[in-house]
Amino acid sequence: MNNIILDKYQLKAVKTNRKKVLVLAGAGSGKTLVIEKRIRYLVNDKKVNPKDILCISFTNDSVNKLKKDLSDVDVNIMTFHKLGLKIIGRKKEVLSEDMLKDIVMDSFSDYTLLSLFNMPKNDMINLIETFINMFKSSGKKLDDFYTFIKKADFKEKKLLKEIMKCFICYEAYLKKENIIDFNDMINEAYDALDKSSVRYKYIIIDEYQDTSFTKFKLIKKLIKLSNAYFFAVGDDFQSIYRFTGAYLKVITDFKKTFLFPKIIKLKNTYRNPDSLIKIAGKFIMRNPYQIKKKLRSNILSKNVIEIVYYSDLNSKIKSVIKEDKIDNLFILSRNNKTLDDIKIDNINYKKLTVHKSKGLESDYVFVLDLNDKPCGFPNKYKDHKILRFVNNYKEYFPYEEERRLFYVALTRCKKKVYLFAPEDNPSCFVKEISKYKNVLKRK
């Protein structure tokens, strides 16, 4: 096992013989290590042919990391989209991500909608683009527009007709140019799978909580046609990509989806201090719809969460860095715009949105945007009502995805996390965290 000693929970996951397995891997619990060791165990101990193993990860970066870790094993490691292209026999997808927006801009013509919905043109274009993306990522077809229109009120009917027109123009462009987009890669692969020769005996998926409904349908069909062993690794606490179509029920309904499944919980974190992971765990489990689980750590540090109240953010950040002698720092924000205004010199730091920080870690973490404004943290903007037609997501607990996002922010740190909140308007998350024991406060 390459001389790395796995804990008993990791070892249980690596060596399981069950056919359908969900590994619930919390922050810093070693999920990538478990995936690597699982593949090595199958190849070296169970004598599985590496060509019979498929490992899916979500980004090119995570695929490349797994390929590097397994450079001596000739196993199939790819993104969902690469799998889609393999099934449908296309070599490339050449559609730029901006093309949908450009076509919507060119196709949009009903300017009465702007006053009807009291919306600037750019916001309307973004809404139509989002609708079309979600429409395709939830597997909808053109005929579904007519079903939507029947259920819609007068204003919505007008908007849906405009969206349908933009969608038809977009699809016509794809057909004319003989190219496909990211959603087509999955949808066409699902349709082509029966006649495809693509089959695997073992299927492993990383970041399973980020799987969309159409990707879930594709992988479920591939498992059935291949009669494959299925090994999914994910964490419902870190499901933060609803806006890209992530379908959380792939994890929460795992027992309903597969017969006789095995759920294995990794219970140790090797990143966060024990006191921090306990507070983060209590915070996330305020939502009763999350799967109950507790992480523990052998890192026994005190004073690992501090709320820093400020009147001037930049000067407060600089004074905390100087007073606490901080280096190796992540500055995380809920919104990109906030990061543009942060100016620091002579320190090793990285500025990221919380979404971009997922999977990363740093000794110290500063979390910003913790104000009680609509665009604060939690973000209070609601999805436009029209998106209910294409959104598989239903919120069962207030700010539930924002709560998961805050959990991700808290668990990036190895030593200490600082929560920066304005003195006169702190967010509800800060007020809640401030009530936990061992949370420091600095004015």
Side-chain angles (χ1 to χ4, degrees):
M1 302 290 278
N2 280 13
N3 299 322
I4 294 178
I5 298 172
L6 301 177
D7 68 37
K8 64 181 180 180
Y9 309 105
Q10 293 171 332
L11 199 61
K12 185 179 178 183
V14 166
K15 292 192 170 186
T16 182
N17 288 317
R18 292 288 281 274
K19 201 154 190 184
K20 305 293 185 290
V21 180
L22 171 62
V23 179
L24 289 170
S29 63
K31 71 176 178 62
T32 308
L33 177 68
V34 165
I35 290 170
E36 181 203 336
K37 297 304 180 189
R38 172 68 175 171
I39 291 169
R40 291 189 183 281
Y41 173 74
L42 292 174
V43 172
N44 298 331
D45 294 51
K46 304 298 273 186
K47 306 304 177 190
V48 174
N49 185 335
K51 292 296 182 188
D52 288 331
I53 301 171
L54 169 66
C55 180
I56 292 178
S57 197
F58 270 77
T59 66
N60 289 322
D61 285 346
S62 56
V63 164
N64 291 335
K65 185 181 186 314
L66 277 167
K67 282 182 176 177
K68 187 178 176 185
D69 293 342
L70 289 157
S71 57
D72 57 325
V73 184
D74 192 17
V75 70
N76 303 283
I77 304 171
M78 63 186 78
T79 62
F80 261 111
H81 296 113
K82 185 78 180 288
L83 172 66
L85 290 173
K86 185 172 183 177
I87 292 167
I88 60 182
R90 295 285 289 257
K91 290 225 167 98
K92 57 182 179 179
E93 78 291 339
V94 284
L95 180 72
S96 95
E97 289 189 44
D98 297 329
M99 189 55 69
L100 173 55
K101 187 185 285 292
D102 292 344
I103 287 168
V104 171
M105 282 278 255
D106 291 343
S107 308
F108 181 76
S109 59
D110 189 352
Y111 285 85
T112 63
L113 288 167
L114 302 181
S115 54
L116 199 60
F117 285 90
N118 190 26
M119 192 182 288
K121 185 182 176 185
N122 272 349
D123 290 353
M124 179 61 74
I125 299 301
N126 289 338
L127 177 61
I128 294 173
E129 181 188 10
T130 300
F131 189 102
I132 291 172
N133 262 324
M134 294 180 86
F135 182 85
K136 295 187 75 169
S137 74
S138 56
K140 306 290 187 197
K141 305 290 185 189
L142 182 60
D143 284 352
D144 287 303
F145 274 107
Y146 299 106
T147 308
F148 299 161
I149 288 166
K150 281 179 189 173
K151 296 177 182 176
D153 61 29
F154 169 75
K155 282 170 61 176
E156 290 174 338
K157 281 186 192 335
K158 278 180 69 77
L159 179 52
L160 284 166
K161 286 174 183 175
E162 185 69 14
I163 296 172
M164 182 168 70
K165 185 191 73 183
C166 293
F167 172 76
I168 290 168
C169 292
Y170 177 59
E171 292 295 294
Y173 173 83
L174 294 179
K175 189 173 180 181
K176 175 174 163 285
E177 298 294 326
N178 192 29
I179 54 178
I180 57 175
D181 64 16
F182 287 111
N183 286 308
D184 289 329
M185 286 181 223
I186 306 302
N187 296 333
E188 291 186 20
Y190 179 84
D191 294 336
L193 193 54
D194 296 282
K195 295 178 182 176
S196 167
S197 62
V198 173
R199 299 289 186 268
Y200 299 96
K201 291 179 183 174
Y202 291 84
I203 296 172
I204 296 167
I205 297 189
D206 186 17
E207 301 287 11
Y208 188 55
Q209 75 282 346
D210 296 336
T211 307
S212 70
F213 181 69
T214 47
K215 288 172 185 169
F216 169 66
K217 273 175 54 184
L218 173 64
I219 210 69
K220 196 178 167 192
K221 189 174 183 179
L222 181 58
I223 291 165
K224 187 178 179 182
L225 291 172
S226 305
N227 190 25
Y229 283 77
F230 182 47
F231 187 87
V233 183
D235 183 14
D236 62 303
F237 285 7
Q238 298 183 75
S239 178
I240 58 172
Y241 288 106
R242 175 177 60 86
F243 61 91
T244 64
Y247 185 60
L248 187 55
K249 285 189 175 182
V250 298
I251 281 195
T252 55
D253 284 0
F254 196 84
K255 286 182 178 177
K256 295 177 188 174
T257 305
F258 298 105
L259 286 174
F260 310 113
K262 179 74 174 172
I263 295 182
I264 299 169
K265 298 177 182 179
L266 303 185
K267 295 188 179 180
N268 297 312
T269 178
Y270 298 93
R271 175 193 301 150
N272 310 125
D274 192 61
S275 54
L276 183 140
I277 205 66
K278 279 192 169 72
I279 290 171
K282 282 180 191 172
F283 178 84
I284 194 71
M285 283 192 288
R286 284 284 308 281
N287 177 358
Y289 299 98
Q290 302 286 167
I291 298 171
K292 295 288 178 281
K293 54 189 181 290
K294 289 183 181 178
L295 282 173
R296 58 195 182 212
S297 170
N298 288 326
I299 305 166
L300 303 176
S301 305
K302 292 182 179 179
N303 306 330
V304 292
I305 298 179
E306 182 167 358
I307 300 168
V308 181
Y309 295 97
Y310 66 85
S311 54
D312 182 306
L313 179 58
N314 261 309
S315 62
K316 198 69 175 181
I317 285 174
K318 288 172 185 173
S319 72
V320 170
I321 289 170
K322 187 176 180 183
E323 286 168 26
D324 292 9
K325 299 183 172 131
I326 289 171
D327 200 352
N328 193 11
L329 168 67
F330 279 178
I331 299 178
L332 306 183
S333 74
R334 178 63 184 82
N335 308 299
N336 256 314
K337 189 175 181 304
T338 307
L339 296 174
D340 296 336
D341 299 328
I342 303 302
K343 306 282 186 268
I344 309 170
D345 297 319
N346 305 321
I347 182 173
N348 176 27
Y349 74 98
K350 192 179 283 189
K351 297 193 292 186
L352 299 157
T353 62
V354 183
H355 281 99
K356 290 270 178 69
S357 75
K358 191 165 169 292
L360 305 176
E361 59 184 36
S362 180
D363 285 347
Y364 299 95
V365 171
F366 289 5
V367 185
L368 313 183
D369 284 328
L370 288 163
N371 56 66
D372 194 31
K373 294 178 181 175
C375 60
F377 200 178
N379 188 295
K380 296 179 181 180
Y381 286 115
K382 301 261 183 181
D383 283 343
H384 194 283
K385 198 179 164 193
I386 203 76
L387 295 177
R388 75 185 185 281
F389 291 109
V390 288
N391 197 345
N392 286 313
Y393 176 83
K394 182 179 177 184
E395 185 168 90
Y396 294 97
F397 190 78
Y399 303 126
E400 65 173 58
E401 179 142 330
E402 292 293 305
R403 185 171 286 267
R404 291 192 289 267
L405 193 60
F406 191 57
Y407 174 86
V408 168
L410 290 174
T411 54
R412 295 312 92 201
C413 89
K414 296 195 285 184
K415 291 184 178 177
K416 186 170 179 177
V417 61
Y418 296 78
L419 308 175
F420 284 79
E423 290 173 352
D424 57 347
N425 197 28
S427 86
C428 59
F429 284 175
V430 165
K431 290 175 183 175
E432 186 178 329
I433 284 284
S434 70
K435 293 173 184 173
Y436 289 118
K437 285 182 183 175
N438 303 317
V439 174
L440 301 175
K441 301 173 188 69
R442 186 187 308 201
K443 294 276 185 181

